């Protein structure tokens, strides 16, 4: 025969069951009230954002840093904005100019564009309501202005360098300058360093045709990789190519080369802007991303990958890589074009460069005049 349950225990069970039932019924309203008015609310409540969803960012690449990825740098900035706004997400996609063109032809577009100088007209972008740092110079900010409005903000820039194969220069009797190169040196070296071998031709110059022509180069210009392969004696190249050459040499497969930063002109400038047709609710987050990208912390991080920030650093910037530091020291005051004027005249500049490479002094002078009109001042000897 089982044990008899005492009346006291039955009463205790009844009370416990009633208390549990009351908790189940009343707890949600108590917790909700606490979330709104008490300690729980401070811990868990999130302000409702005017917009929630995805914001697309296209990082359109025409030049790269000495090492690493500028796309990753921009993605980290976007992640910082995401943390501050619940339900807002950035999708940053890196692509070439050619890949971007195909997307646009297919009817695709982004909310935010990170783009190289001369990529688009200002009409494709939304006027910006952003606060730029005091240490961004007026000249730098003006690179993204049109009709008195800020349509784009420069993020960072790089410069070109002239690389000279030291062995070939020695064999051909070309003395290497101890300091900066001049137009006269480049013009004369192009003649002496362009020659034929049984195995094929060695070009006098490779790389960027516009900058090469500006510095006095003439004749055929090979692709920049021809320099690395020993099929070109000189090259006008960006810092990523310099970094690749440095890493190539450290692997034991390279060769000695002299490097001279070309500080007269650069089109290696990256901007950021907002699509003219962007949804209005997205604008505050797009603007916040732009302001964050030119903040002190973001700009300092550029030094880690060998890029030059658009904001003048408070303290002297020191780069780990010798060639990057050399280029940075020579780049102060380098001439840059307004991105929208560059877009308007880029085809003309390319035609003038082609004529200068194929022609004589008159065509070279016409190119220099066009670029000087574009950037207002060229510092070249």
């Amino acid at each position: 025969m089982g044990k008899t349950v005492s009346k006291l225990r039955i009463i205790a069970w009844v009370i416990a069951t009633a208390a549990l039932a009351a908790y189940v019924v009343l707890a949600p309203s108590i917790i909700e009230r606490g979330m709104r008015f008490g300690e729980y609310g401070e811990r868990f409540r999130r302000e409702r954002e005017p917009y929630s969803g995805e914001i697309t960012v296209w990082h359109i690449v025409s030049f790269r840093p000495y090492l690493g990825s500028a796309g990753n740098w921009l993605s980290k900035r976007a992640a910082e904005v995401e943390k501050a706004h619940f339900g807002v997400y950035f999708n940053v996609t890196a692509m070439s100019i050619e890949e971007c063109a195909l997307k646009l032809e297919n009817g695709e577009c982004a909310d935010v564009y990170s783009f190289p100088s001369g990529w688009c007209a200002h009409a494709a972008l939304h006027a910006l309501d952003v606060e730029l740092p005091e240490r961004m110079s007026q000249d730098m900010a003006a690179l993204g202005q049109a009709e008195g409005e800020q349509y784009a903000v420069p993020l960072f820039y790089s410069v070109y360098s002239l690389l000279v194969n030291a062995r070939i220069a020695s064999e051909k009797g070309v003395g290497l300058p101890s300091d900066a190169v001049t137009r006269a040196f480049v013009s004369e070296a192009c003649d002496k360093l362009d020659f034929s071998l049984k195995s094929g031709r060695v070009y006098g110059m490779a790389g960027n045709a516009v900058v090469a022509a500006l510095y006095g180069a003439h004749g055929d210009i090979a692709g920049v990789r021809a320099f690395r392969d020993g099929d070109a004696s000189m090259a006008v190249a960006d810092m990523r190519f310099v970094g690749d050459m440095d890493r190539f040499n450290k692997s034991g497969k390279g060769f000695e080369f002299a490097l001279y930063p070309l500080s007269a002109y650069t089109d290696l400038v990256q901007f950021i802007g907002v699509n003219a047709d962007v949804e209005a609710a997205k604008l505050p987050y797009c603007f916040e991303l732009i302001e964050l990208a030119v903040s002190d912390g973001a700009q300092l991080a550029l030094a880690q990958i060998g890029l030059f920030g658009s904001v003048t650093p408070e303290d002297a910037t020191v780069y780990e890589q010798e060639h990057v530091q050399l280029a940075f020291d020579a780049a102060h005051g380098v001439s840059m074009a307004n991105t929208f004027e560059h877009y308007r005249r880029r085809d003309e500049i390319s035609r003038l460069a082609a004529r200068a490479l194929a022609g004589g002094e008159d065509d070279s002078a016409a190119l220099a005049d066009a670029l000087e009109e574009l950037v207002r001042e060229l510092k070249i000897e």
Side-chain angles (χ1 to χ4, degrees):
M1 187 173 180
K3 295 181 179 179
T4 302
V5 179
S6 68
K7 290 183 179 181
L8 185 61
R9 183 170 295 179
I10 291 173
I11 292 171
W13 283 353
V14 170
I15 293 172
T17 302
L20 179 61
Y23 177 80
V24 170
V25 172
L26 298 175
S29 62
I30 294 172
I31 293 174
E32 191 275 336
R33 182 180 176 84
M35 290 283 284
R36 284 190 294 159
F37 302 110
E39 177 183 357
Y40 295 112
E42 293 301 317
R43 291 186 180 179
F44 302 111
R45 180 166 55 91
R46 290 293 191 110
E47 294 288 345
R48 181 181 294 276
E49 294 288 342
Y51 169 81
S52 62
E54 184 179 81
I55 296 175
T56 55
V57 182
W58 288 359
H59 175 61
I60 305 160
V61 181
S62 70
F63 69 97
R64 296 182 294 169
Y66 179 90
L67 77 169
S69 165
N72 288 342
W73 170 85
L74 186 58
S75 294
K76 290 178 181 178
R77 312 288 79 80
E80 293 178 54
V81 180
E82 287 181 348
K83 289 179 183 178
H85 301 285
F86 182 70
V88 177
Y89 305 97
F90 285 87
N91 181 1
V92 181
T93 305
M95 63 190 71
S96 67
I97 293 176
E98 293 76 19
E99 289 170 332
C100 178
L102 288 175
K103 285 180 173 291
L104 292 172
E105 286 176 11
N106 291 332
E108 300 178 59
C109 64
D111 300 310
V112 178
Y113 298 110
S114 163
F115 61 91
S117 178
W119 177 70
C120 70
H122 77 276
L125 303 176
H126 196 290
L128 301 178
D129 182 13
V130 296
E131 184 175 348
L132 299 180
E134 291 183 1
R135 286 184 288 104
M136 177 179 285
S137 70
Q138 292 183 357
D139 287 344
M140 182 66 74
L143 299 180
Q145 294 173 0
E147 298 180 350
E149 294 277 0
Q150 194 83 40
Y151 283 91
V153 172
L155 292 176
F156 51 78
Y157 69 99
S158 189
V159 296
Y160 292 100
S161 293
L162 178 70
L163 288 69
V164 185
N165 185 312
R167 177 187 61 80
I168 296 177
S170 177
E171 290 176 355
K172 295 298 178 179
V174 174
L176 297 178
S178 58
D179 197 359
V181 297
T182 62
R183 282 178 53 86
F185 167 80
V186 174
S187 180
E188 183 178 350
C190 266
D191 288 331
K192 293 184 177 181
L193 299 179
D194 193 323
F195 57 93
S196 296
L197 296 171
K198 289 183 178 179
S199 56
R201 178 180 177 182
V202 175
Y203 290 83
M205 182 64 76
N208 185 276
V210 172
V211 178
L214 177 64
Y215 270 85
H218 49 267
D220 297 330
I221 304 293
V224 70
R225 288 178 63 88
F227 180 82
R228 195 199 72 171
D229 297 338
D231 296 327
S233 304
M234 299 189 293
V236 171
D238 63 16
M239 291 309 301
R240 184 51 165 251
F241 184 80
V242 173
D244 289 344
M245 287 298 302
D246 284 341
R247 291 181 282 274
F248 192 52
N249 284 1
K250 288 178 182 178
S251 72
K253 301 177 183 178
F255 53 85
E256 182 182 354
F257 62 88
L259 180 140
Y260 304 93
L262 303 178
S263 57
Y265 166 73
T266 185
D267 58 2
L268 303 177
V269 188
Q270 192 78 6
F271 293 84
I272 190 167
V274 178
N275 188 335
D277 298 324
V278 71
E279 185 179 340
K282 296 181 180 181
L283 282 173
Y285 310 102
C286 299
F287 294 163
E288 186 172 340
L289 173 62
I290 293 172
E291 290 181 346
L292 185 60
V294 291
S295 65
D296 284 346
Q299 291 284 295
L300 283 173
L302 291 169
Q304 299 171 11
I305 56 176
L307 285 171
F308 310 147
S310 60
V311 178
T312 304
E314 193 168 12
D315 300 314
T317 304
V318 178
Y319 291 87
E320 293 183 7
Q321 303 85 12
E322 178 185 355
H323 284 151
V324 178
Q325 187 69 54
L326 179 66
F328 178 74
D329 292 341
H332 296 299
V334 62
S335 295
M336 309 175 197
N338 175 287
T339 181
F340 307 119
E341 283 298 302
H342 185 192
Y343 172 79
R344 187 175 67 85
R345 302 190 63 179
R346 62 183 183 180
D347 292 339
E348 174 194 359
I349 296 297
S350 295
R351 286 194 300 270
L352 288 171
R355 285 169 47 189
L357 291 170
E361 285 299 317
D362 290 343
D363 296 308
S364 295
L367 173 64
D369 289 344
L371 282 172
E372 188 157 10
E373 184 179 340
L374 186 65
V375 302
R376 295 187 176 85
E377 184 178 6
L378 287 174
K379 306 177 183 70
I380 185 170
E381 297 181 8

